[in-house]
Amino acid sequence: MTTLADCRALDAQDPLRALRDQFTVPEGVLYLDGNSLGVMPKAAPARIAEVVTKEWGEGLIRSWNTASWFDLPQRLGDKVARVIGAAPGEVVCTDSTSVNLYKVLFAALSQQKDSGRKLVVSERSNFPTDLYIAESLCRERGFTLKLIDAAELQGPGSVLTDEVAVLMLTHVNYRTGAMHDMKAITAAAHAVGALTVWDLAHSAGAVPVALNDSNADYAIGCGYKYLNGGPGAPAFAWVNTRHAGEFEQPLSGWWGHAAPFEFTPHYRPAPGVGRYLCGTQPIIALAGLECGLDTVLAAEAFNGTNGAMAALRTKSLALTDLFIQLVEERCAGQGLSLVTPREHAQRGSQVCLSRENPDDPQGGSGAYAIVQALIARGVIGDYRAGDSQMPDILRFGFTPLYIGFEDVWNSVEHLVQVLESGEWKREEFNRKNAVT
Ligand SMILES: *Cc1c(COP(=O)(O)O)cnc(C)c1O
């Protein structure tokens, strides 16, 4: 059996321990929700204040040039590139994940419009906004969205056929924490002539990603989860250089124009990924995102040329392995089961549990109330509702930048207490909030 002393010893040997000092983690909080909104970097308040008071307040419009506001989407894009296996000049930070998905999926569909292919394939359990965006684009552009289970991508009866125009997947599933083999799936999609669109919302800053090595086509991802960019931080878009200058995105605003300050009446797209910008950028929000990106890139110091993610991945897997082991040792008989794959190659940086043994006063799984009871104790994870095909989920994200091994022990200790005492059955934990 693993003990608290063992966990403390792991922290003492952890080479990445000092990275935690980059963050302001509130006293008494065990934060296991960095997969939903990352913790605030310590540098963010001062940097954002500087942008507001100096660059905006004093520099005013001059700051587009003097404070390098103008190329911020590309400069930050180059930082994102370092954690997603892309090259400088291939990524822009801009807009939301949903909007960027609209842009890249539109471009991919334009690329396939004369191919006779009519299907966009995605997973039933993909994050809903991805499916909603795909639904409306398919309707507009005359394609059909086909929802599948991940298992249907493999084997002789695979859904990957010459009818598929685009395979749109989220690399790490937001509900289950299951991770796809990007390189193998991209190769299988290309073998039937389909293009791939990858959502990296739960991958960027969480697991090593190798977009160019995987020969992927399009990718987008989120700035406020593992990249710690702040609530609603700008997202990012990457397009393989073989497509970037070839196809247009639909939101042809002036920031994606080849020469916006020529003010010509006709749109001429910028070369490369620059055309994926639309309008004037949110400079203050981008400043927050840069602080977040720098917290992740700080891990590069620990792993030389292999980049930040190789170092972070080792710790992330050790943390999630430990959490799984402790839950299984200490919560046995409480009806919890592991939803996240045990195999490292198939696991992101979160662990999801379901509860199959309902003695919830409201007749459900109890998952929501258990998460609420944990939050009341300062252990912040989250809950994702299930339906007839998917169980309710208790979700725990492990960001190795600021979570330690003793934190894992303490969070499981709270879970044990919440379950054994029946504390979660209290009425106050069974009332639903607007944001879960
Ligand atoms: C978090 C997340 C998003 C978020 O999209 P927004 O446009 O930022 O609201 C999109 N897709 C996936 C897979 C996510 O996990």
Side-chain angles (χ1 to χ4, degrees):
M1 291 277 263
T2 304
T3 63
L4 173 58
D6 298 332
C7 296
R8 287 186 173 147
L10 289 171
D11 279 330
Q13 296 155 17
D14 172 14
L16 303 183
R17 187 73 182 154
L19 291 172
R20 185 191 178 96
D21 298 336
Q22 302 182 96
F23 297 91
T24 306
V25 185
E27 203 49 43
V29 166
L30 280 169
Y31 195 71
L32 305 181
D33 221 356
N35 51 343
S36 221
L37 173 64
V39 165
M40 185 180 76
K42 256 184 209 159
R47 175 63 191 137
I48 290 169
E50 185 183 27
V51 171
V52 172
T53 57
K54 290 231 171 64
E55 297 182 8
W56 177 17
E58 293 171 23
L60 290 170
I61 200 159
R62 292 168 290 193
S63 289
W64 286 107
N65 295 312
T66 56
S68 296
W69 284 355
F70 188 67
D71 60 3
L72 211 43
Q74 283 86 355
R75 196 162 62 71
L76 300 197
D78 287 351
K79 290 192 175 190
V80 172
R82 281 150 66 181
V83 298
I84 59 174
E90 294 182 356
V91 181
V92 281
C93 290
T94 187
D95 296 328
S96 65
T97 308
S98 305
V99 171
N100 286 332
L101 177 59
Y102 185 86
K103 293 185 285 191
V104 303
L105 183 56
F106 181 103
L109 294 179
S110 304
Q111 206 171 334
Q112 293 283 37
K113 77 177 183 326
D114 300 323
S115 67
R117 297 160 180 271
K118 286 291 162 215
L119 294 181
V120 173
V121 171
S122 193
E123 273 182 272
R124 192 171 289 111
S125 66
N126 199 348
F127 192 84
T129 200
D130 296 47
L131 301 180
Y132 304 160
I133 293 280
E135 254 180 1
S136 83
L137 258 178
C138 284
R139 203 165 48 231
E140 282 297 308
R141 309 282 294 169
F143 289 83
T144 302
L145 179 61
K146 184 182 169 88
L147 299 185
I148 58 147
D149 294 323
E152 296 175 72
L153 289 169
Q154 285 157 1
S158 167
V159 293
L160 289 177
T161 65
D162 62 8
E163 288 176 73
V164 180
V166 174
L167 176 61
M168 177 189 91
L169 293 175
T170 295
H171 181 225
V172 175
N173 187 285
Y174 83 105
R175 287 181 61 86
T176 64
M179 182 165 71
H180 286 298
D181 181 339
M182 181 185 286
K183 192 169 184 169
I185 291 177
T186 299
H190 287 173
V192 298
L195 295 166
T196 54
V197 172
W198 291 96
D199 188 330
L200 305 179
H202 287 269
S203 309
V207 298
V209 178
L211 285 173
N212 278 323
D213 183 57
S214 300
N215 199 21
D217 298 288
Y218 296 87
I220 44 128
C222 185
Y224 53 78
K225 292 172 178 160
Y226 291 94
L227 297 179
N228 308 312
F236 64 85
W238 169 85
V239 181
N240 191 304
T241 48
R242 71 172 170 270
H243 310 312
E246 296 289 316
F247 299 92
E248 289 185 28
Q249 58 103 346
L251 307 176
S252 48
W254 71 310
W255 272 63
H257 192 279
F261 288 92
E262 284 177 9
F263 295 103
T264 55
H266 296 294
Y267 182 70
R268 186 161 45 89
V273 81
R275 67 181 56 190
Y276 284 80
L277 300 178
C278 178
T280 307
Q281 303 299 309
I283 298 302
I284 301 168
L286 283 165
L289 175 62
E290 182 159 31
C291 294
L293 290 171
D294 288 343
T295 63
V296 179
L297 294 177
E300 286 180 343
F302 297 86
N303 218 45
T305 51
N306 282 332
M309 293 319 301
L312 290 171
R313 178 64 168 165
T314 306
K315 182 172 172 190
S316 156
L317 285 170
L319 291 170
T320 51
D321 275 344
L322 177 65
F323 183 80
I324 292 168
Q325 183 198 339
L326 289 174
V327 166
E328 290 182 339
E329 282 175 9
R330 307 194 59 215
C331 302
Q334 294 288 351
L336 294 175
S337 31
L338 181 66
V339 174
T340 305
R342 241 173 250 280
E343 216 180 298
H344 285 176
Q346 294 172 22
R347 190 193 308 162
S349 199
Q350 68 182 41
V351 178
C352 304
L353 306 171
S354 64
R355 190 156 178 279
E356 312 288 350
N357 182 22
D359 70 290
D360 176 354
Q362 301 189 339
S365 63
Y368 176 80
I370 293 166
V371 168
Q372 292 307 307
L374 286 171
I375 292 172
R377 288 165 166 264
V379 182
I380 304 183
D382 61 25
Y383 159 83
R384 289 293 175 261
D387 59 22
S388 59
Q389 305 193 27
M390 302 181 284
D392 291 346
I393 297 276
L394 299 92
R395 205 169 68 138
F396 303 97
F398 294 87
T399 304
L401 287 170
Y402 48 79
I403 297 297
F405 297 92
E406 185 175 348
D407 295 330
V408 175
W409 173 274
N410 289 334
S411 57
V412 176
E413 175 63 31
H414 282 291
L415 179 60
V416 170
Q417 289 178 18
V418 162
L419 290 167
E420 287 182 353
S421 67
E423 184 176 307
W424 60 275
K425 293 177 190 165
R426 298 215 303 251
E427 200 270 327
E428 66 199 274
F429 299 137
N430 285 275
R431 252 181 273 130
K432 286 256 161 86
N433 294 320
V435 175
T436 61

